[in-house]
Amino acid sequence: MSWSLPSPGELRERAGDVLLHRVAGPSAHEKRARIHGAPGPRWFGPERPVRVVHADASMYVGGLAALLLQSLHPLAMAAVAAHSGFQGDPWGRLQRTSTFLAVTTFGVDEDAARAVERVRRVHAGISGTTSDGVPYRASDPHLLGWVHCAETECFLRAQLRYGRRPLDAAAQDGYVADMAEVARRLGVDRPPCTRAELTARIVAYRSELRATPESRATARFLLSDPPLPAPARLPYAFLAAAAVELLPPWARALVGPPRATRLLLPVARPGGRAITAAVRWAIPPPPRPGAAEAARAPSHG
Protein backbone atom coordinates (compact mmCIF):
# COMPACT_ATOMS: atom_id res chain seq x y z
CA MET A 1 0.00 0.00 0.00
CA SER A 2 1.38 3.41 -0.92
CA TRP A 3 0.85 6.56 1.05
CA SER A 4 0.95 10.09 -0.31
CA LEU A 5 1.04 13.39 1.48
CA PRO A 6 -2.05 15.56 1.07
CA SER A 7 -1.71 18.38 -1.44
CA PRO A 8 -1.71 22.04 -0.31
CA GLY A 9 -5.26 22.32 -1.59
CA GLU A 10 -6.37 19.32 0.46
CA LEU A 11 -4.64 20.68 3.56
CA ARG A 12 -6.35 24.03 3.05
CA GLU A 13 -9.76 22.39 2.66
CA ARG A 14 -9.30 20.27 5.78
CA ALA A 15 -8.10 23.22 7.86
CA GLY A 16 -10.96 25.38 6.62
CA ASP A 17 -13.54 22.70 7.43
CA VAL A 18 -12.19 22.25 10.96
CA LEU A 19 -12.22 25.99 11.61
CA LEU A 20 -15.66 26.55 10.11
CA HIS A 21 -17.17 23.68 12.09
CA ARG A 22 -15.68 25.04 15.33
CA VAL A 23 -16.98 28.55 14.72
CA ALA A 24 -20.28 27.88 12.94
CA GLY A 25 -21.19 24.31 13.91
CA PRO A 26 -21.45 21.00 12.04
CA SER A 27 -23.82 22.48 9.42
CA ALA A 28 -21.46 25.38 8.67
CA HIS A 29 -21.49 24.96 4.89
CA GLU A 30 -25.28 24.71 4.74
CA LYS A 31 -25.61 27.84 6.91
CA ARG A 32 -23.21 29.74 4.66
CA ALA A 33 -25.11 28.72 1.55
CA ARG A 34 -28.39 29.92 3.04
CA ILE A 35 -27.06 33.15 4.54
CA HIS A 36 -25.05 34.30 1.53
CA GLY A 37 -26.86 32.60 -1.33
CA ALA A 38 -30.58 32.95 -0.64
CA PRO A 39 -32.21 35.54 -2.90
CA GLY A 40 -33.95 38.50 -1.32
CA PRO A 41 -33.40 41.94 0.21
CA ARG A 42 -30.78 42.41 2.91
CA TRP A 43 -30.44 44.93 5.71
CA PHE A 44 -27.02 45.91 4.35
CA GLY A 45 -25.94 46.20 0.75
CA PRO A 46 -22.64 44.84 -0.61
CA GLU A 47 -21.02 48.27 -0.34
CA ARG A 48 -21.67 48.75 3.39
CA PRO A 49 -18.70 48.81 5.81
CA VAL A 50 -20.28 46.24 8.13
CA ARG A 51 -19.85 43.64 5.40
CA VAL A 52 -16.19 44.51 4.97
CA VAL A 53 -15.49 44.19 8.70
CA HIS A 54 -17.52 41.06 9.39
CA ALA A 55 -16.15 39.18 6.38
CA ASP A 56 -12.54 39.73 7.47
CA ALA A 57 -10.35 37.29 9.39
CA SER A 58 -9.60 40.09 11.88
CA MET A 59 -12.94 39.22 13.51
CA TYR A 60 -11.22 36.30 15.26
CA VAL A 61 -9.02 38.75 17.17
CA GLY A 62 -11.81 41.29 17.63
CA GLY A 63 -14.30 38.74 18.90
CA LEU A 64 -12.02 37.50 21.67
CA ALA A 65 -11.13 41.08 22.64
CA ALA A 66 -14.85 41.94 22.77
CA LEU A 67 -15.58 39.12 25.22
CA LEU A 68 -12.79 40.34 27.50
CA LEU A 69 -13.95 43.96 27.34
CA GLN A 70 -17.61 43.07 27.88
CA SER A 71 -16.70 41.05 30.98
CA LEU A 72 -15.55 44.21 32.77
CA HIS A 73 -19.15 45.34 33.37
CA PRO A 74 -20.22 43.49 36.55
CA LEU A 75 -23.88 43.26 35.51
CA ALA A 76 -23.09 41.96 32.04
CA MET A 77 -20.60 39.48 33.49
CA ALA A 78 -23.08 38.28 36.09
CA ALA A 79 -25.68 37.61 33.40
CA VAL A 80 -23.18 35.70 31.26
CA ALA A 81 -21.80 33.68 34.18
CA ALA A 82 -25.24 32.69 35.45
CA HIS A 83 -27.13 32.08 32.22
CA SER A 84 -24.98 31.64 29.11
CA GLY A 85 -23.20 28.40 29.97
CA PHE A 86 -20.12 29.70 28.18
CA GLN A 87 -17.73 27.52 30.19
CA GLY A 88 -19.87 24.40 29.91
CA ASP A 89 -20.57 24.92 26.19
CA PRO A 90 -18.16 27.56 24.85
CA TRP A 91 -18.29 26.33 21.28
CA GLY A 92 -22.08 26.35 21.27
CA ARG A 93 -22.10 29.95 22.47
CA LEU A 94 -19.51 30.93 19.86
CA GLN A 95 -21.53 29.24 17.13
CA ARG A 96 -24.73 31.02 18.15
CA THR A 97 -22.97 34.38 18.25
CA SER A 98 -21.19 33.93 14.93
CA THR A 99 -24.41 32.79 13.27
CA PHE A 100 -26.28 35.84 14.60
CA LEU A 101 -23.60 38.19 13.25
CA ALA A 102 -23.57 36.43 9.88
CA VAL A 103 -27.35 36.39 9.49
CA THR A 104 -27.87 40.03 10.46
CA THR A 105 -24.95 41.20 8.30
CA PHE A 106 -25.34 39.05 5.19
CA GLY A 107 -28.67 37.22 5.42
CA VAL A 108 -32.04 38.05 3.88
CA ASP A 109 -34.11 40.46 5.93
CA GLU A 110 -36.66 37.86 7.13
CA ASP A 111 -33.91 35.66 8.55
CA ALA A 112 -32.20 38.65 10.15
CA ALA A 113 -35.45 39.79 11.78
CA ARG A 114 -36.10 36.29 13.12
CA ALA A 115 -32.58 36.13 14.55
CA VAL A 116 -33.10 39.42 16.39
CA GLU A 117 -36.45 38.30 17.74
CA ARG A 118 -34.93 35.08 19.07
CA VAL A 119 -32.26 37.03 20.94
CA ARG A 120 -34.84 39.43 22.37
CA ARG A 121 -36.91 36.50 23.65
CA VAL A 122 -33.84 34.99 25.32
CA HIS A 123 -32.91 38.33 26.90
CA ALA A 124 -36.45 38.79 28.21
CA GLY A 125 -36.09 35.65 30.31
CA ILE A 126 -32.73 36.51 31.89
CA SER A 127 -32.59 38.39 35.19
CA GLY A 128 -30.94 37.94 38.53
CA THR A 129 -28.76 39.49 41.19
CA THR A 130 -24.99 39.89 41.30
CA SER A 131 -22.88 38.55 44.17
CA ASP A 132 -23.01 42.11 45.54
CA GLY A 133 -26.81 42.09 45.58
CA VAL A 134 -27.33 44.32 42.52
CA PRO A 135 -30.26 43.26 40.30
CA TYR A 136 -29.83 42.98 36.54
CA ARG A 137 -31.93 42.27 33.44
CA ALA A 138 -30.36 41.17 30.17
CA SER A 139 -32.99 43.24 28.33
CA ASP A 140 -31.93 46.46 30.11
CA PRO A 141 -31.22 48.96 27.26
CA HIS A 142 -28.28 50.43 29.19
CA LEU A 143 -26.67 47.02 29.67
CA LEU A 144 -27.35 46.06 26.06
CA GLY A 145 -25.70 49.34 25.11
CA TRP A 146 -22.46 48.36 26.83
CA VAL A 147 -22.34 44.94 25.16
CA HIS A 148 -23.00 46.61 21.80
CA CYS A 149 -20.39 49.34 22.26
CA ALA A 150 -17.74 46.89 23.43
CA GLU A 151 -18.13 44.57 20.46
CA THR A 152 -18.37 47.41 17.94
CA GLU A 153 -15.20 48.99 19.32
CA CYS A 154 -13.25 45.71 19.32
CA PHE A 155 -14.40 44.57 15.88
CA LEU A 156 -13.43 47.96 14.46
CA ARG A 157 -10.08 48.10 16.27
CA ALA A 158 -9.24 44.62 14.97
CA GLN A 159 -10.16 45.52 11.40
CA LEU A 160 -7.99 48.63 11.48
CA ARG A 161 -5.02 46.69 12.85
CA TYR A 162 -5.34 43.33 11.07
CA GLY A 163 -7.84 43.83 8.27
CA ARG A 164 -6.92 43.22 4.65
CA ARG A 165 -8.08 46.75 3.72
CA PRO A 166 -8.40 48.97 6.82
CA LEU A 167 -11.37 51.33 6.72
CA ASP A 168 -10.86 55.05 6.20
CA ALA A 169 -12.45 57.59 8.57
CA ALA A 170 -15.73 57.85 6.64
CA ALA A 171 -16.10 54.07 6.44
CA GLN A 172 -15.39 53.78 10.18
CA ASP A 173 -18.34 56.08 10.84
CA GLY A 174 -20.35 53.99 8.39
CA TYR A 175 -19.50 50.81 10.28
CA VAL A 176 -20.63 52.28 13.60
CA ALA A 177 -23.86 53.44 11.92
CA ASP A 178 -24.44 49.97 10.44
CA MET A 179 -23.97 48.33 13.83
CA ALA A 180 -26.41 50.84 15.33
CA GLU A 181 -29.10 49.56 12.94
CA VAL A 182 -28.95 46.11 14.52
CA ALA A 183 -28.50 47.50 18.04
CA ARG A 184 -31.75 49.47 17.84
CA ARG A 185 -33.63 46.35 16.80
CA LEU A 186 -32.16 44.51 19.81
CA GLY A 187 -33.39 47.21 22.19
CA VAL A 188 -30.37 49.51 22.60
CA ASP A 189 -31.44 53.09 23.27
CA ARG A 190 -29.75 55.71 21.05
CA PRO A 191 -26.70 53.66 20.00
CA PRO A 192 -23.71 55.69 18.78
CA CYS A 193 -23.66 56.34 15.04
CA THR A 194 -20.11 57.68 14.50
CA ARG A 195 -16.65 56.68 15.69
CA ALA A 196 -16.46 59.81 17.86
CA GLU A 197 -19.83 59.00 19.47
CA LEU A 198 -18.68 55.43 20.11
CA THR A 199 -15.52 56.62 21.83
CA ALA A 200 -17.49 59.07 23.97
CA ARG A 201 -20.04 56.40 24.93
CA ILE A 202 -17.33 53.99 26.08
CA VAL A 203 -15.79 56.77 28.17
CA ALA A 204 -19.22 57.32 29.74
CA TYR A 205 -19.34 53.65 30.79
CA ARG A 206 -15.87 53.71 32.36
CA SER A 207 -17.09 54.48 35.90
CA GLU A 208 -19.23 51.29 35.83
CA LEU A 209 -16.40 48.97 34.82
CA ARG A 210 -14.18 46.98 37.15
CA ALA A 211 -12.47 43.66 37.61
CA THR A 212 -14.52 41.06 39.48
CA PRO A 213 -13.89 37.44 40.42
CA GLU A 214 -16.19 36.50 37.52
CA SER A 215 -14.30 38.63 35.00
CA ARG A 216 -10.95 37.25 36.18
CA ALA A 217 -12.26 33.70 35.86
CA THR A 218 -13.49 34.52 32.35
CA ALA A 219 -10.07 35.88 31.38
CA ARG A 220 -8.34 32.74 32.70
CA PHE A 221 -10.75 30.51 30.82
CA LEU A 222 -10.53 32.41 27.54
CA LEU A 223 -6.78 33.02 27.62
CA SER A 224 -5.31 30.04 29.48
CA ASP A 225 -7.80 27.17 29.49
CA PRO A 226 -9.75 27.12 26.21
CA PRO A 227 -11.14 23.69 25.24
CA LEU A 228 -8.73 23.10 22.37
CA PRO A 229 -6.61 20.14 21.23
CA ALA A 230 -2.88 20.37 21.87
CA PRO A 231 -1.85 21.30 18.28
CA ALA A 232 -4.11 24.37 18.39
CA ARG A 233 -2.77 25.70 21.69
CA LEU A 234 0.23 27.60 20.32
CA PRO A 235 -1.65 29.43 17.53
CA TYR A 236 -4.40 30.23 20.01
CA ALA A 237 -1.84 31.67 22.45
CA PHE A 238 -0.82 34.20 19.81
CA LEU A 239 -4.48 34.96 19.04
CA ALA A 240 -5.09 35.53 22.76
CA ALA A 241 -2.09 37.86 23.04
CA ALA A 242 -3.26 39.82 19.99
CA ALA A 243 -6.73 40.20 21.53
CA VAL A 244 -5.36 41.44 24.86
CA GLU A 245 -2.94 43.83 23.15
CA LEU A 246 -5.85 45.20 21.09
CA LEU A 247 -7.61 46.46 24.24
CA PRO A 248 -7.10 50.01 25.51
CA PRO A 249 -4.41 50.06 28.24
CA TRP A 250 -6.93 50.74 31.01
CA ALA A 251 -9.01 47.71 29.97
CA ARG A 252 -5.93 45.52 29.61
CA ALA A 253 -4.99 46.35 33.21
CA LEU A 254 -8.47 45.45 34.48
CA VAL A 255 -8.54 42.17 32.54
CA GLY A 256 -5.31 41.09 34.24
CA PRO A 257 -4.11 38.60 31.61
CA PRO A 258 -2.22 35.52 32.84
CA ARG A 259 1.57 35.53 32.81
CA ALA A 260 1.89 33.41 29.67
CA THR A 261 -0.21 35.90 27.71
CA ARG A 262 1.71 38.87 29.13
CA LEU A 263 4.99 37.33 27.99
CA LEU A 264 3.68 37.21 24.40
CA LEU A 265 2.48 40.83 24.31
CA PRO A 266 5.73 42.17 22.76
CA VAL A 267 5.12 39.93 19.73
CA ALA A 268 1.32 40.20 19.77
CA ARG A 269 1.04 42.20 16.56
CA PRO A 270 3.19 39.99 14.33
CA GLY A 271 1.48 36.99 15.92
CA GLY A 272 -1.93 38.50 15.19
CA ARG A 273 -0.96 39.16 11.58
CA ALA A 274 0.21 35.56 11.19
CA ILE A 275 -3.02 34.18 12.68
CA THR A 276 -5.30 36.31 10.51
CA ALA A 277 -3.26 35.40 7.42
CA ALA A 278 -3.64 31.70 8.28
CA VAL A 279 -7.41 32.08 8.70
CA ARG A 280 -7.68 33.85 5.33
CA TRP A 281 -5.74 31.01 3.73
CA ALA A 282 -7.90 28.31 5.28
CA ILE A 283 -11.43 29.69 5.05
CA PRO A 284 -12.96 29.57 1.56
CA PRO A 285 -14.78 32.68 0.28
CA PRO A 286 -18.53 32.74 0.93
CA PRO A 287 -21.01 31.79 -1.79
CA ARG A 288 -22.10 34.50 -4.20
CA PRO A 289 -25.01 36.65 -2.97
CA GLY A 290 -28.55 35.83 -3.98
CA ALA A 291 -29.72 37.24 -7.28
CA ALA A 292 -32.41 39.45 -5.75
CA GLU A 293 -30.09 41.17 -3.30
CA ALA A 294 -30.33 44.50 -5.12
CA ALA A 295 -33.49 45.41 -3.15
CA ARG A 296 -32.56 46.23 0.45
CA ALA A 297 -34.66 47.04 3.47
CA PRO A 298 -33.19 50.01 5.38
CA SER A 299 -31.47 52.98 3.82
CA HIS A 300 -28.21 54.36 5.16
CA GLY A 301 -27.04 57.89 5.00
Side-chain angles (χ1 to χ4, degrees):
M1 179 180 293
S2 63
W3 295 90
S4 61
L5 291 173
S7 69
E10 290 170 331
L11 285 174
R12 180 178 185 175
E13 183 176 355
R14 291 178 191 176
D17 282 345
V18 169
L19 194 52
L20 274 178
H21 290 168
R22 283 286 192 182
V23 173
S27 59
H29 291 288
E30 291 81 1
K31 285 181 184 177
R32 286 187 114 206
R34 166 65 189 175
I35 290 169
H36 293 274
R42 265 76 173 165
W43 286 355
F44 304 105
E47 77 289 350
R48 292 306 304 172
V50 70
R51 286 204 176 195
V52 175
V53 175
H54 291 179
D56 196 272
S58 60
M59 286 288 284
Y60 284 78
V61 179
L64 182 53
L67 291 175
L68 295 168
L69 186 58
Q70 288 166 351
S71 75
L72 297 178
H73 197 296
L75 300 185
M77 190 62 252
V80 169
H83 300 279
S84 79
F86 80 98
Q87 290 202 26
D89 183 24
W91 294 114
R93 184 169 186 259
L94 173 62
Q95 290 158 13
R96 291 188 294 272
T97 301
S98 66
T99 298
F100 177 83
L101 285 168
V103 170
T104 54
T105 303
F106 303 102
V108 294
D109 56 6
E110 307 107 9
D111 289 349
R114 279 194 291 268
V116 166
E117 184 55 34
R118 279 194 298 271
V119 171
R120 292 190 69 130
R121 284 198 302 268
V122 170
H123 286 168
I126 295 176
S127 61
T129 305
T130 69
S131 57
D132 296 332
V134 180
Y136 62 81
R137 291 180 297 109
S139 59
D140 176 7
H142 182 72
L143 194 57
L144 288 172
W146 165 248
V147 173
H148 164 71
C149 288
E151 70 178 14
T152 303
E153 175 72 8
C154 289
F155 294 163
L156 186 51
R157 277 176 173 258
Q159 201 278 336
L160 295 176
R161 185 163 297 169
Y162 298 112
R164 187 190 296 274
R165 291 180 296 276
L167 302 181
D168 62 20
Q172 291 174 45
D173 285 345
Y175 175 69
V176 178
D178 289 346
M179 290 291 279
E181 290 275 357
V182 181
R184 289 189 195 96
R185 296 169 188 263
L186 284 170
V188 176
D189 184 30
R190 296 178 296 107
C193 293
T194 67
R195 183 74 194 273
E197 290 178 5
L198 176 62
T199 299
R201 192 69 58 86
I202 289 175
V203 169
Y205 275 103
R206 283 279 302 274
S207 63
E208 302 173 34
L209 308 180
R210 59 186 175 88
T212 62
E214 292 86 359
S215 72
R216 296 288 192 184
T218 296
R220 285 194 302 272
F221 177 76
L222 292 174
L223 301 174
S224 296
D225 302 312
L228 290 169
R233 290 278 177 155
L234 182 58
Y236 185 86
F238 284 101
L239 174 68
V244 170
E245 196 270 341
L246 190 72
L247 296 171
W250 60 265
R252 200 181 309 152
L254 289 175
V255 166
R259 183 172 181 273
T261 302
R262 294 198 307 272
L263 289 174
L264 288 174
L265 289 180
V267 295
R269 294 195 187 191
R273 286 191 289 270
I275 292 298
T276 50
V279 172
R280 288 191 190 101
W281 173 81
I283 298 290
R288 293 178 61 84
E293 190 182 351
R296 290 181 285 277
S299 62
H300 300 265

